[in-house]
């Protein structure tokens, strides 16, 4: 599957990559290490050529997992990881999320990532969140030095604004911006997508399936694992998700049936049709779902169905924040008024 590849900096990848976070972070229940490695290898053989991880995920163990599974096949795929946000144990022994964009911290994170991933170079290295106490120019400058030393090939940003992207790009070309983007999360349309187009920056969409809402599953907060991030998210509270299901999903299913695809494939096809600079990285612990997601790149969504989806699910029909106020404070992405 390489007939419609999309550019990320100097490299090209298939338009759908694999987000690896939920193999041991964020949702749950998690597969065993053996099953997770099997999923990664099967996905590679199925045609995935872009794998996305981060220092944050699993407190570093996600990078270890990818290294153990894929290091022997390093030449077959593009590898992305992230720095600047980690899980550290506080004085009481509890894991705490730390955002640290100091140059020395980012350099040390890269060295650890290279060892964990069992590689000599990381193709795309993102700053996971902006440390608001450190000028973005300083953080990007540190990664620029890593490019010069051959430890990373390209620099990315995650969940940052168009203005921050422009400041960063003035220091070193930014190959990719990664932000949540789907039918029900349209924030990148405010300014970031346009900035990416102007600067030649690829846009990498995480949670393109709306954290499984657009998979048309029965989502019940009581069934979520104790550590599931969605437990605190406003859109997944029982009254809200029930209302959204009733209002949006019947017509969404109709469109999926007309197109002849799964609900998840429909969401991915809409996203890829939105702009040729967009790459989606849905995550899954189920290989059959990974196969279905990958094949969505071959769907030819009509202009009519594209417009119907655009009108059905958007920031007006989903008028609920994606994060709590506390979680939102770490995100630099523009917000709708």
């Amino acid at each position: 599957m390489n007939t419609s590849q999309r550019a990320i900096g100097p490299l090209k990848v298939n338009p759908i990559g694999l987000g690896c976070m939920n193999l041991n972070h964020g949702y749950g229940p998690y597969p065993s290490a053996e099953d997770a490695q099997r999923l990664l290898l099967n996905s590679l053989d199925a045609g995935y050529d872009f794998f996305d991880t981060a220092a944050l995920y699993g407190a570093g163990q996600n990078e270890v997992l990818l290294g153990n599974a894929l290091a022997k096949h390093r030449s077959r795929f593009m590898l992305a990881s992230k720095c600047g946000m980690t899980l550290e144990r506080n004085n009481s022994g509890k894991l705490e999320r730390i955002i640290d964009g100091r140059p020395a911290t980012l350099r040390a994170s890269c060295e650890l990532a290279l060892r964990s991933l069992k590689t000599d170079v990381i193709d795309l290295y993102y700053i996971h969140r902006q440390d608001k106490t450190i000028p973005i120019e300083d953080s990007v400058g540190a990664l620029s030095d890593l490019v010069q030393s051959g430890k990373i090939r390209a620099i990315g940003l995650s969940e940052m604004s168009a203005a921050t992207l422009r400041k960063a790009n003035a220091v070193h070309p930014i190959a990719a911006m990664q932000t949540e983007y789907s039918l029900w999360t349209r924030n990148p349309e405010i300014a970031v997508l346009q900035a990416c187009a102007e600067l030649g920056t690829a846009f990498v969409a995480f949670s393109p399936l709306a954290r499984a809402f657009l998979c048309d599953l029965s989502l019940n907060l009581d069934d979520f694992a104790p550590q599931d991030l969605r437990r605190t998210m406003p859109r997944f509270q029982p009254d809200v998700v029930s209302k959204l299901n009733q209002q949006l999903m019947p017509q969404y299913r109709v469109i999926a049936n007309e197109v002849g695809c799964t609900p998840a494939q429909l969401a991915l096809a809409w996203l890829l049709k939105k702009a040729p600079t967009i790459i989606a990285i849905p995550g899954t612990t189920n290989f059959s779902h990974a196969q279905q997601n990958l094949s969505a790149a071959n769907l030819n969504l009509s202009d009519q169905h594209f417009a119907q989806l655009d009108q059905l699910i958007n920031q007006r029909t989903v008028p609920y924040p994606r994060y709590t106020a506390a979680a939102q404070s770490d995100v630099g992405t523009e917000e709708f008024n």
Side-chain angles (χ1 to χ4, degrees):
M1 181 187 154
N2 57 11
T3 57
S4 57
Q5 290 189 314
R6 299 187 175 193
I8 299 182
L11 303 173
K12 289 188 176 182
V13 296
N14 293 330
I16 294 176
L18 188 67
C20 300
M21 180 187 81
N22 57 353
L23 295 177
N24 61 4
H25 185 93
Y27 299 113
Y30 306 126
S32 67
E34 293 77 14
D35 286 344
Q37 289 185 37
R38 189 176 300 110
L39 175 104
L40 290 167
L41 287 169
N42 287 341
S43 296
L44 181 66
D45 289 339
Y48 279 94
D49 62 359
F50 181 33
F51 292 81
D52 180 276
T53 182
L56 175 75
Y57 304 157
Q61 289 306 300
N62 201 271
E63 290 180 323
V64 171
L65 176 65
L66 264 70
N68 289 339
L70 299 177
K72 294 179 181 178
H73 310 280
R74 186 64 185 85
S75 63
R76 295 172 57 189
F77 65 94
M78 179 175 176
L79 175 63
S81 193
K82 310 178 195 72
C83 60
M85 185 162 64
T86 55
L87 285 176
E88 308 289 345
R89 294 200 180 275
N90 58 24
N91 293 334
S92 63
K94 184 178 180 180
L95 285 172
E96 182 179 359
R97 193 172 73 169
I98 303 296
I99 296 175
D100 187 345
R102 291 175 297 176
T105 302
L106 302 186
R107 287 192 290 267
S109 182
C110 182
E111 294 293 343
L112 178 58
L114 289 168
R115 293 194 297 272
S116 296
L117 291 162
K118 299 182 179 179
T119 187
D120 295 328
V121 61
I122 298 169
D123 297 311
L124 175 61
Y125 206 41
Y126 295 95
I127 300 174
H128 206 160
R129 291 289 188 277
Q130 183 179 4
D131 182 345
K132 296 175 183 177
T133 69
I134 304 293
I136 191 63
E137 293 89 345
D138 292 355
S139 298
V140 172
L143 266 59
S144 181
D145 291 342
L146 292 173
V147 173
Q148 294 301 316
S149 63
K151 294 181 178 180
I152 67 177
R153 288 197 171 98
I155 298 173
L157 304 178
S158 178
E159 288 279 23
M160 298 187 200
S161 68
T164 301
L165 171 59
R166 294 182 190 281
K167 288 181 182 179
N169 196 74
V171 176
H172 188 101
I174 302 301
M177 171 70 85
Q178 181 176 146
T179 297
E180 182 175 356
Y181 188 35
S182 69
L183 279 161
W184 85 342
T185 296
R186 301 295 196 95
N187 304 71
E189 295 175 7
I190 300 172
V192 165
L193 286 180
Q194 180 62 37
C196 285
E198 292 174 6
L199 297 174
T201 300
F203 184 90
V204 178
F206 76 81
S207 295
L209 304 180
R211 302 184 188 273
F213 179 82
L214 293 173
C215 297
D216 195 21
L217 302 174
S218 177
L219 298 176
N220 188 331
L221 187 145
D222 292 335
D223 296 333
F224 292 165
Q227 73 275 16
D228 197 309
L229 296 171
R230 294 171 294 181
R231 281 186 169 274
T232 62
M233 291 181 172
R235 294 177 183 176
F236 288 96
Q237 300 313 299
D239 56 333
V240 173
V241 76
S242 176
K243 183 178 181 181
L244 291 175
N245 265 319
Q246 293 172 11
Q247 293 180 347
L248 304 177
M249 295 314 292
Q251 183 57 32
Y252 187 77
R253 293 185 198 106
V254 169
I255 299 172
N257 287 335
E258 290 178 353
V259 175
C261 66
T262 69
Q265 289 172 326
L266 184 66
L268 294 169
W270 173 86
L271 195 60
L272 297 184
K273 188 177 175 69
K274 194 74 176 179
T277 55
I278 294 175
I279 293 133
I281 52 167
T284 184
T285 59
N286 184 309
F287 178 58
S288 66
H289 293 166
Q291 290 176 301
Q292 292 171 14
N293 291 342
L294 189 65
S295 65
N298 299 319
L299 284 175
N300 185 16
L301 195 64
S302 71
D303 291 344
Q304 178 183 353
H305 286 131
F306 179 83
Q308 288 174 341
L309 290 168
D310 230 28
Q311 290 300 310
L312 178 65
I313 307 177
N314 54 55
Q315 72 277 10
R316 296 179 299 278
T317 61
V318 185
Y320 306 95
R322 59 186 176 124
Y323 292 132
T324 62
Q328 182 63 38
S329 66
D330 292 337
V331 174
T333 312
E334 292 86 352
E335 289 294 302
F336 289 100
N337 296 325

